[in-house]
Amino acid sequence: MKKIVIAADSGADLSKELIKEFDIKVIPLTVIMDNKAYLDGSIPIERVYEYYNRTKRIPSTSAANVDQYAAFFKKLQEENPDSAIIYVAYSSNASATYQSAKIAVEGFENIYIVDSLSVSGGFAAVTIKAAEIVAASAPDRDIEDIIKEIEGYVKAARTSFMPSTLEYLRAGGRVSNAAYLGASLLKIKPLISIENGYLIAAKKYRGPMKTVAEKYFREFVENNHLVKDVIYILSTVGLDPAILKNVTNIAKEMGFQKIRYTVCGCVISCHGGPGAIGVAGFTK
């Protein structure tokens, strides 16, 4: 088996620590504000919130284009000669990243594309699992067999998030004004689940985030029968640290061996808004 490089895009919201630990190569997505493009990760996330507060519009976001992917893959091959590359992509049902990457690799050899069918923490979970599978594989293992195992975890991945406010989803056209006003008046927090790569409004919780976050977390773990080896806790900038601490304690109480954290970057924060929380893991 050749050396295998694992790559992904910034929509996985991998922390610098996780990127370094698992040696994952990342291509950034783009955020556009005031007709100026910024690479995800190049500016503070608070800039997204400042832009919304000023304009009442969320920034535009875009996937890396075919030329950017081609340059990314070329550089990876130059830096890792005689290596294969497995690129794990943001859900093909939520972004053009997968399709752009598929077109870009037509001029290359030994580059394989896996559709994560997830976003943010779920995407991160699949990407890190891919790195773990590669690290644990015997030298003579066939790469197609490795990819099949990774795709098995794509099917087993479960992820969802709960925004603190529907303002950003409304501004992005994902909920109506009527739904936004009703939810605001009733203090409703919608659970957004990723199913087959699509973002689906799955359930509604009523009350302040401090109250509903615990209930949401416990129900998500139990309803999805998550395996207890690792869980990912997602958040956007602005989440009350006390909520994150409480959910962490619950995860420990429920027997999770590892807890990994992802803080959403600029692209995901454009939709989640400040103070969101989410969970990702693998079903049994």
Side-chain angles (χ1 to χ4, degrees):
M1 183 181 73
K2 296 181 178 182
K3 176 187 173 184
I4 298 176
V5 176
I6 300 296
D9 64 67
S10 64
D13 293 329
L14 291 161
S15 66
K16 292 179 180 178
E17 293 77 15
L18 290 173
I19 290 170
K20 182 178 180 180
E21 180 181 353
F22 294 96
D23 194 20
I24 296 167
K25 312 304 179 184
V26 178
I27 182 170
L29 305 181
T30 301
V31 176
I32 302 167
M33 296 183 288
D34 295 322
N35 297 315
K36 186 173 181 180
Y38 301 89
L39 293 179
D40 198 4
S42 68
I43 59 173
I45 294 162
E46 287 83 356
R47 288 279 297 277
V48 170
Y49 304 154
E50 291 167 3
Y51 177 82
Y52 174 77
N53 290 336
R54 175 165 54 85
T55 67
K56 296 306 174 185
R57 300 193 305 269
I58 62 170
S60 301
T61 61
S62 67
N65 60 39
V66 174
D67 290 339
Q68 288 171 320
Y69 270 112
F72 177 66
F73 292 139
K74 181 181 179 182
K75 183 180 179 183
L76 285 184
Q77 288 194 327
E78 289 173 348
E79 293 173 345
N80 303 274
D82 300 319
S83 297
I85 297 167
I86 296 177
Y87 175 74
V88 185
Y90 195 102
S91 171
S92 61
N93 293 324
S95 170
T97 54
Y98 175 78
Q99 190 59 37
S100 295
K102 286 285 284 186
I103 295 170
V105 299
E106 290 176 2
F108 295 87
E109 293 182 354
N110 297 320
I111 299 180
Y112 305 83
I113 311 296
V114 174
D115 186 351
S116 74
L117 288 177
S118 196
V119 305
S120 194
F123 180 9
V126 171
T127 303
I128 290 174
K129 181 57 71 174
E132 291 175 331
I133 289 169
V134 166
S137 294
D140 59 348
R141 188 177 182 190
D142 185 79
I143 192 166
E144 298 289 353
D145 186 49
I146 290 173
I147 289 170
K148 284 182 181 178
E149 184 176 356
I150 295 169
E151 289 174 341
Y153 280 97
V154 168
K155 295 176 183 177
R158 298 290 183 271
T159 186
S160 70
F161 72 96
M162 187 167 59
S164 176
T165 173
L166 286 181
E167 280 189 78
Y168 286 66
L169 290 173
R170 179 191 61 167
R174 293 178 183 267
V175 298
S176 68
N177 282 336
Y180 165 73
L181 290 171
S184 298
L185 288 170
L186 297 174
K187 295 184 179 180
I188 289 174
K189 303 288 187 294
L191 166 62
I192 309 297
S193 180
I194 290 77
E195 299 177 15
N196 279 336
Y198 292 98
L199 277 66
I200 306 293
K203 186 175 180 177
K204 296 176 181 178
Y205 290 87
R206 185 173 178 180
M209 184 65 89
K210 286 184 179 180
T211 302
V212 300
E214 177 176 344
K215 184 178 181 182
Y216 151 64
F217 184 85
R218 289 186 185 277
E219 288 185 351
F220 185 79
V221 170
E222 292 167 357
N223 292 344
N224 287 284
H225 308 289
L226 297 187
V227 295
K228 298 296 181 69
D229 57 344
V230 62
I231 192 167
Y232 291 77
I233 300 177
L234 301 56
S235 63
T236 58
V237 169
L239 180 68
D240 184 343
I243 295 175
L244 189 62
K245 183 178 180 181
N246 185 45
V247 169
T248 296
N249 289 336
I250 295 168
K252 292 177 180 177
E253 169 200 311
M254 296 181 84
F256 284 95
Q257 298 170 31
K258 290 182 182 177
I259 302 171
R260 292 183 177 136
Y261 301 92
T262 64
V263 177
C264 297
C266 290
V267 168
I268 302 299
S269 295
C270 287
H271 306 292
I277 189 168
V279 191
F282 296 103
T283 190
K284 292 181 180 178

